[in-house]
Amino acid sequence: MIPPRFEYHAPRSVDEAIALLSSLGGDAKLLAGGHSLLPMMKLRFAQPGSLIDLNRIDELRGIREQGDTVVIGAMTVENDLIASPVLHGKVPLLPEAAALIADPQVRNRGTIGGDIAHGDPGNDHPALAIALDASFVLQGPKGRRSVAADGFFLGTYMTLLQEDEVLCEIHVPAFKRGSGWAYEKLKRKTGDWATAGCAVVLRRAGDRIEHVRIALTNVAPMALRAVDAEKLLLGRPLDAQALEAAAEAAAAICEPAEDLRGDVEYKTAMAAQMVKRALGKAWLRSQ
């Protein structure tokens, strides 16, 4: 399929991109990696009158340390996450999980910011960002604002990002001593979205869990934080009983859509299994 006609804009700065968004209104779409938007345009599911390409804005790329926080430019591609010594040293969950996303071609072009801003429940970075307690820096005509990843995702393709705003940075707290992490993802084949996925970050004090974040991929209209499952684990060791209770609590909040990856019952059961696997791996790494 060939998409309908559209105007193409290639700003060189965030301010220029925001000015274009403001002047063109809701008829304009931002272009990052393009792996979601361009196929939708070819199928005529999306028909923007204008595309604003962010790929020439250098300030939106890169990974740096800012105190105890790692700052990632929204246009940083997956392969740069995988190769980053800063991330390997401070937030190893991100490069490890990025290596599970799609295939090498997609990872060479796809961006962390595009993955997040699109609001697709099948994308991996929403759940990862929630588990990492990340925050997002959004810039619009009124300046910059910071919003937490937990609460940013409102539904399928729906987020707190306004039509005249650009996602500029992702801020991730560096792991503290005693942290463990994991991202477990079940998929049918290389390049496919997750049938179910689970991101976990936890920290132990002695033989007990003192901090835990659990987030789920592609089992609801948006990435989910399993708050009740987290509460069941705090202050106790991760034994078989705790694992089972957390998995059941996480499964209880799942609302997957039936598709070629499975029915509701299967996807919910697989979400529970991914929770168990991710918690187990994170617990072992926290020693």
Side-chain angles (χ1 to χ4, degrees), residues 155-176:
T156 303
Y157 309 130
M158 298 171 60
T159 71
L160 291 178
L161 184 68
Q162 300 298 307
E163 287 187 346
D164 57 357
E165 289 183 316
V166 175
L167 171 59
C168 294
E169 296 174 349
I170 297 91
H171 289 207
V172 184
F175 283 174
K176 295 181 180 180

Side-chain angles (χ1 to χ4, degrees), residues 260-277:
L260 294 176
R261 297 175 187 84
D263 57 23
V264 171
E265 182 179 357
Y266 173 72
K267 287 185 172 184
T268 301
M270 291 305 97
Q273 290 300 314
M274 296 305 105
V275 170
K276 289 181 181 180
R277 292 182 187 181

Side-chain angles (χ1 to χ4, degrees), residues 41-57:
M41 290 174 62
K42 289 179 180 179
L43 293 171
R44 306 291 175 110
F45 292 152
Q47 299 187 42
S50 299
L51 285 187
I52 302 172
D53 189 345
L54 301 178
N55 280 278
R56 290 172 176 78
I57 305 178

